[in-house]
Amino acid sequence: MSGQKKDNVAAYLFLSPWLVGLFVITIGPMIASLYLAFTDYNLIQAPQWTGLENFTRMLSDQRLHNSLKVTFTYVFVSVPLQLAVALLLAVVLDRGVRGMAFYRSVFYLPSLLGSSVAIAILWKQVFGTDGLLNQVIAPLGFDGKGWISDPSTALGTLVVLNVWTFGAPMVIFLAGLRQIPAMYYEAASVDGAGPLRRFASITLPLLTPIIFFNLVLQIIHAFQSFTQAFVVSGGTGGPSDSTMFYTLYLYDRGFGNFDMGYASAMAWFLLVIIGVFTAANFVASKYWVFYDD
Amino acid sequence: MTTETLPRSVPATSGTTLAWRRVRPALTHVALAATAVVMLYPVIWMVVSSLRPGNEIFRDPGILVRDLRIENYRIGWNALTEPFTRYLLNSAAVVLGSIVGNLVSCSMAAYAFARLNFTGKKFWFAIMLVTIMLPIHVVIVPQYILFSQAGWINTFLPLIVPKLLATDAFFVFLMVQFIRGIPRELDEAARIDGCGKGGIFLRVILPLMVPALATTTIFTFIWTWNDFFSQLIYLTDPKMYTVPVALRAFVDATASTSWGSLFAMSVVSLVPVFLAFLLGQRFLIKGIATTGIK
């Protein structure tokens, strides 16, 4: 065997578990789900080819439209809020506060807990009628209410939960802030720039690649949120479908009603949405992301 | 904010500036500490409430325990058809299998991508990067059909086998990034000493990539422990429930009437995550800063 051939054999041996996984667990099922998206399939009878019917059904499915509205609201409100808080605290911590490592850990911890069922259960209590929040605000003279049982505020409690997990993007911002040379700030100070000016003219532009990275990541992540809404609403997406995330509705169709063809069509539509948003982000980034080199 | 322009308008030695320089760090600390308290308060309150008699949970927003009761834990532990020990062991089995799977298969793939030259390398690497972004939803329905035809529903295999096949591609990426930082001269020296590619991987690369392996272990631990969606789908027999699925069943069973025991089991479920966080902080922070995983 020639050298290159030998190299190929060795490399593909090392790659073999990943390659098997790629074809059997990822690409195969992707092709299958693309096929199922054009069928009616309930797991028991063989899939029936129905052409575009699942997609035309999506066009007139009011619950699906509502779930899109809920998901978009969630993404557009919670992601910018979460990133703003993350950036603010990263900048404060980066100034070399004593005990920085301690604060960083404390702020980061919710990112690890936030996706758990346990925290969703906690949230359900905190924002319930007898919940912690109402107990805290009652002595201050505010009238409490069932934040989770009221359709106008239920989604807001999940937004708060997502903002609460700002620690992960904060850590990425901190890593980015470290890359900014201190001499830029020194030079700006000598020229008389105050902290706000330095932030606007140095920190923000030099951090745009990191902001972009976090934005893309958190948007993809937020579109796929499931656990919190599922647990808080008892799997119903209620009250009045106000927390019916797209993924929750997909689960409801596929695994609640064994409407597998429709669920597959929904999954592909989700992929398209995420793809379009990511692509749009990349296109828009040309106008606001600043690369130093 | 007039203070922002102080360094320019007022000489640096002036009293106001000095006072401000002393006060500002203190104010920052107060603000940071307040933020930390607000953030952690609900979790601390949950721990405290899990030790209280049920009716107090609805009255007391404080975190002092006057009447310590641990029976919430006893009641919660036996509230479902199986004792909670069972769910903890089930979760432990899934987590352990996932960790082993990710460590072995992702490190092998990463070594190939970072160190070996082969036909189609760029193509496969690009595919690997794309799969990181792929939502699980586009594969979950056929995967479910596949695993159910294999008779794997209500076993841990649908949760572990994909990890053995390196489907958590971000760990491949993380390890590739790490291996690229290891000097190639070490591979060369080992090769001259007669090591083959397998030998270089096992004796040179693996021992040097322990930090990346630790990061992978800790993230796999926490994510798998917290994972709900796939465990909910594949585990429907109460005997096979993992901790998150059991907790959710508990919520449904009690209709949230016994917050005390529900909180008690929630606390139990968070303890392993918290311990992993304490032990692995360094690796967690590094891992997230370099790859953006969370």
Side-chain angles (χ1 to χ4, degrees), chain A residues 7-8 11-12 25 29 33 41 98 103 105 112 116 125 130 135 164 166 168 171 195 217 224 230 247 267 271, chain B residues 4 29 39 45 57-58 60-61 108 118-119 124 135 137-138 142-143 145 165 197 226 228-229 277 281 288 292:
Chain A
D7 279 5
N8 279 345
Y12 280 99
I25 309 283
S33 97
Y41 182 44
R98 214 180 292 168
Y103 287 122
S105 299
L112 297 177
S116 68
Q125 204 288 340
D130 297 324
Q135 292 170 31
W164 188 65
F166 69 80
V171 168
L217 228 71
Q224 298 178 60
F230 185 90
T247 53
L271 183 66
Chain B
E4 307 300 347
H29 268 291
M39 282 187 71
W45 178 83
I57 294 173
F58 303 104
D60 192 352
M108 284 171 64
F118 56 94
T119 328
W124 293 120
H137 310 88
V138 287
Q143 271 184 19
I145 297 163
L165 300 174
K197 294 189 173 67
N226 279 343
F228 178 62
F229 188 66
F277 167 72
Q281 256 195 72
I288 191 162

Side-chain angles (χ1 to χ4, degrees), chain B residues 165-233:
Chain B
L165 300 174
T167 48
D168 281 351
F170 23 73
F171 294 125
V172 177
F173 177 65
L174 178 127
M175 291 181 193
V176 167
Q177 295 297 86
F178 191 88
I179 296 173
R180 281 178 179 162
I182 299 172
R184 275 181 184 268
E185 287 77 16
L186 295 171
D187 301 29
E188 275 306 301
R191 202 180 57 81
I192 291 162
D193 288 346
C195 256
K197 294 189 173 67
I200 293 174
F201 173 63
L202 288 174
R203 293 183 194 182
V204 180
I205 300 293
L206 269 189
L208 287 173
M209 64 188 288
V210 165
L213 299 177
T215 304
T216 302
T217 305
I218 291 161
F219 271 108
T220 306
F221 183 102
I222 293 174
W223 288 350
T224 312
W225 191 271
N226 279 343
D227 173 41
F228 178 62
F229 188 66
S230 47
Q231 296 176 8
L232 175 73
I233 285 169

